[in-house]
């Protein structure tokens, strides 16, 4: 039977929803046990949240000042040391997981399975390739632990209602001294986080300028949504790159995705293919975005968006 260890993602003392999505992926293995490890300077609050996730047996806490910031080279030796006795080690396919999990795989001497979107067996998984245009089935060696990142857009958050035991852990690992934390540059916003938001409004090249992007922010505020953008909008300097959605940006799966002035390049569609309802607003009725949209509005976005906001206010 499988035993799964999940590395919790957290920031500023809050557990990221990606952790609960990893639990959903782990449950698809029908494992004997699912454990979560929280590495932090003070993991108590985070561990309490993780313990509430359904189907989790226990939460391991690794308390160390070196874990105050998520540095892959520091955390990977600790995760690798804790991996003994586990058949699978999962992390989210987010910036955090993409940084950490390859280091864990290297220390364990195995190849990583990336972007798991479906579980076919204990060592057989499906993952997207070619910008999501094809799905490949991969099989990991049965005689080695499986280190994998979970495509969070493909899995729902596991339910709350659990009451897992919380236990301290002290992995026997030598931490490197050649890597140190310098600082974190991150945009501050009162809007929901793009990666986990239930609603997202994105703007593309058709918005025209950074000044015009205010109309996207206004609609997002009206809907209580996060703001995203196409690569074309980011490359044009309309918005910072942390808002980019797509193959080279963030892969998201909101319940509602509103694409404004976005033509629908395949790289962008890759990032939203798992969204619940897709609404496209574009003046070009032949834009590729309409082929995958559930609702389409053809017209000038600068005329349609104010009308939409008025209707939402009515």
């Amino acid at each position: 039977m499988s035993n799964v260890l999940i590395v919790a993602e957290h920031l500023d003392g809050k557990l990221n929803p990606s952790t609960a999505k990893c639990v959903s992926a782990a449950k698809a293995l029908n494992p004997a046990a699912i454990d979560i490890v929280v590495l932090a300077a003070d993991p108590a609050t985070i561990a309490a949240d993780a313990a509430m996730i359904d189907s989790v047996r226990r939460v391991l806490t690794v308390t160390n000042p070196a874990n105050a910031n998520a540095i892959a080279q520091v955390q990977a030796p600790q995760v690798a040391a804790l991996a003994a006795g586990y058949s699978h080690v999962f992390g989210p396919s987010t910036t955090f997981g993409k940084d950490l999990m390859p280091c864990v795989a290297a220390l364990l001497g195995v190849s990583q399975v990336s972007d798991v979107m479906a579980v076919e067996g204990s060592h057989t998984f499906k993952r997207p390739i070619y910008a999501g245009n094809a799905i490949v089935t991969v099989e990991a060696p049965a005689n080695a632990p499986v280190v994998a990142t979970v495509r969070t857009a493909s899995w729902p958050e596991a339910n709350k209602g659990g009451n897992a035991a919380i236990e301290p852990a002290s992995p026997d690992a030598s931490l490197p001294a050649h890597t140190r934390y310098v600082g974190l540059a991150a945009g501050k916003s009162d809007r929901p986080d793009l990666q986990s938001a239930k609603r997202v409004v994105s703007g593309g090249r058709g918005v025209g300028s950074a000044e015009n992007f205010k109309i996207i922010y206004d609609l997002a505020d009206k809907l209580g949504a996060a703001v995203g953008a196409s690569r074309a909008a980011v490359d044009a300097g309309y918005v910072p790159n942390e808002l980019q959605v797509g193959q080279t940006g963030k892969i998201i799966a909101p319940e509602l995705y509103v694409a404004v002035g976005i033509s629908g390049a395949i790289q962008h569609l890759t990032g939203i293919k798992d969204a619940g309802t897709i609404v496209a607003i574009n003046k070009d009725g032949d834009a590729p975005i309409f082929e995958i949209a559930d609702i389409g509005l053809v017209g000038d976005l600068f005329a349609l968006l104010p009308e939409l906001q008025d209707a939402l206010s009515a």
Side-chain angles (χ1 to χ4, degrees):
M1 292 289 287
S2 301
N3 288 290
V4 187
L5 179 66
I6 294 171
V7 184
E9 178 177 4
H10 57 88
L11 182 65
D12 296 332
K14 296 181 180 179
L15 187 69
N16 192 289
S18 65
T19 305
K21 294 186 176 186
C22 286
V23 172
S24 290
K27 288 170 65 176
L29 292 164
N30 293 317
I34 300 174
D35 293 345
I36 295 176
V37 59
V38 178
L39 300 102
D42 182 9
T45 302
I46 305 160
D49 288 341
M52 296 174 61
I53 301 175
D54 184 50
S55 300
V56 175
R57 178 183 65 174
R58 61 177 178 170
V59 177
L60 305 176
T61 58
V62 181
T63 306
N64 191 324
N67 294 328
N69 300 288
I71 302 174
Q73 289 72 22
V74 172
Q75 294 190 345
Q78 301 173 75
V79 176
L82 290 170
Y86 290 95
S87 59
H88 297 69
V89 183
F90 281 1
S93 189
T94 57
T95 303
F96 165 79
K98 290 176 180 178
D99 188 32
L100 172 63
M101 302 308 288
C103 298
V104 175
L107 291 172
L108 293 177
V110 299
S111 297
Q112 175 183 289
V113 179
S114 302
D115 290 327
V116 170
M117 62 185 301
V119 173
E120 299 291 299
S122 63
H123 289 73
T124 308
F125 310 93
K126 286 187 175 181
R127 63 176 300 267
I129 58 173
Y130 301 131
N133 284 310
I135 307 299
V136 64
T137 300
V138 297
E139 186 169 351
N143 60 349
V146 175
V147 177
T149 57
V150 173
R151 181 182 168 94
T152 53
S154 299
W155 300 90
E157 291 181 35
N159 294 327
K160 292 295 184 75
N163 187 25
I166 299 176
E167 302 177 7
S170 301
D172 184 13
S174 297
L175 305 187
H178 66 279
T179 302
R180 68 185 187 281
Y181 177 81
V182 175
L184 174 66
K188 297 294 183 181
S189 175
D190 294 331
R191 296 182 177 87
D193 175 63
L194 177 58
Q195 196 88 48
S196 57
K198 303 298 184 184
R199 301 171 182 172
V200 175
V201 179
S202 282
R205 193 199 308 271
V207 177
S209 69
E211 292 73 21
N212 288 347
F213 226 83
K214 181 179 183 300
I215 200 169
I216 303 297
Y217 289 118
D218 289 345
L219 179 59
D221 290 342
K222 185 71 68 174
L223 292 172
V227 172
S230 68
R231 178 170 179 172
V234 171
D235 288 348
Y238 300 169
V239 291
N241 59 10
E242 61 259 28
L243 297 187
Q244 184 176 325
V245 174
Q247 182 184 4
T248 53
K250 291 181 171 66
I251 308 295
I252 60 175
E255 295 174 0
L256 172 66
Y257 185 77
V258 183
V260 182
I262 296 175
S263 62
I266 186 61
Q267 291 84 357
H268 186 80
L269 301 185
T270 296
I272 62 169
K273 65 188 297 292
D274 294 306
T277 299
I278 298 175
V279 178
I281 301 174
N282 200 299
K283 66 180 180 181
D284 180 6
D286 294 324
I289 190 72
F290 288 117
E291 295 179 9
I292 58 98
D294 299 287
I295 301 171
L297 293 175
V298 179
D300 183 355
L301 68 92
F302 297 104
L304 291 174
L305 261 61
E307 290 181 19
L308 183 57
Q309 289 192 54
D310 290 341
L312 290 169
S313 300

